[in-house]
Amino acid sequence: MSTIDVRRLAHATLWTPDLDRQIAYYTEVVGLQLIERVKDRAFLATREGLESICLEKGDHPELARIAFQAAPGSDLKVLAKRLEAAGVASERRSGTSPGVEDALVFKDAKGTDVEVFAEYRFAKRERTPGTIQPLKLGHVAYRCHDVAKVVKFYEEHLGFRVSDWRGNSFAFMRCGVDH
């Protein structure tokens, strides 16, 4: 049985050297709405209120964190004990995003921070018309040196399933109906 039953990909945190330019791209081209901006960090959500991208000022572009929602009602204390039993250290953090008050944070096999939360508060729905209106963040391409090690981590600790392999250097994984 998996340690955590992840239900959906929530948002990805991306480092960028040009925060203003990336905010403009994600709002003006991609169609996301800016829901929070503090100093060197900005959260963007779909017009339906699902957080999708967090941008943070960084020296170079990189995926810094990835967040997932577990089943609503999941007890994060129980999930933390399961991770600990599997040898994965975690900590509780509050206010990790505008819609997440309580999250469990740990490192994956690559060393990237993973945030898991159970309860989510939607951002205010944006009613202005836009040409492109994404509904959610559907997938993230994740570059790593040891694909098999990362795949194993996500299978064993987050309940992901492999959908397809491309050689031994690329895997499609899912945590529900989506890749």
Side-chain angles (χ1 to χ4, degrees):
M1 179 175 185
S2 68
T3 302
I4 299 173
D5 183 19
V6 169
R7 297 296 173 95
R8 72 175 180 96
L9 170 61
H11 64 268
T13 299
L14 307 173
W15 285 342
T16 177
D18 192 338
L19 190 60
D20 291 326
R21 184 174 177 198
Q22 288 300 304
I23 291 170
Y25 171 77
Y26 281 105
T27 56
E28 296 167 16
V29 176
V30 176
L32 297 177
Q33 63 172 327
L34 179 64
I35 58 169
E36 179 180 277
R37 169 116 191 231
V38 290
K39 197 175 176 191
D40 291 336
R41 185 169 97 167
F43 273 94
L44 297 110
T46 67
R47 293 177 180 275
E48 296 299 317
L50 277 174
E51 293 170 6
S52 298
I53 301 289
C54 173
L55 298 169
E56 290 183 353
K57 185 87 168 151
D59 293 335
H60 57 278
E62 184 176 328
L63 174 67
R65 283 186 305 284
I66 192 160
F68 299 101
Q69 184 172 14
S74 296
D75 185 337
L76 295 183
K77 196 181 297 184
V78 170
L79 300 181
K81 287 180 183 177
R82 290 181 187 166
L83 284 170
E84 182 181 0
V88 178
S90 66
E91 66 179 67
R92 295 281 286 273
R93 291 187 191 161
S94 59
T96 58
S97 80
V100 177
E101 291 182 24
D102 191 19
L104 192 58
V105 181
F106 52 93
K107 301 247 183 239
D108 70 10
K110 182 184 173 190
T112 302
D113 280 349
V114 175
E115 299 172 359
V116 173
F117 60 90
E119 309 308 324
Y120 177 74
R121 183 180 61 252
F122 281 80
K124 184 179 176 188
R125 189 173 178 186
E126 175 62 53
R127 301 225 181 249
T128 11
T131 54
I132 298 175
Q133 296 186 13
L135 298 175
K136 63 181 176 176
L137 177 63
H139 68 273
V140 172
Y142 194 43
R143 183 176 290 171
C144 57
H145 295 289
D146 190 342
V147 177
K149 181 179 177 182
V150 172
V151 164
K152 183 178 178 184
F153 181 90
Y154 279 86
E155 284 178 324
E156 290 180 357
H157 302 297
L158 296 171
F160 276 64
R161 294 172 305 286
V162 173
S163 299
D164 302 291
W165 276 97
R166 185 169 190 152
N168 59 1
S169 63
F170 197 92
F172 289 94
M173 301 187 78
R174 61 188 178 97
C175 61
V177 296
D178 296 330
H179 281 272

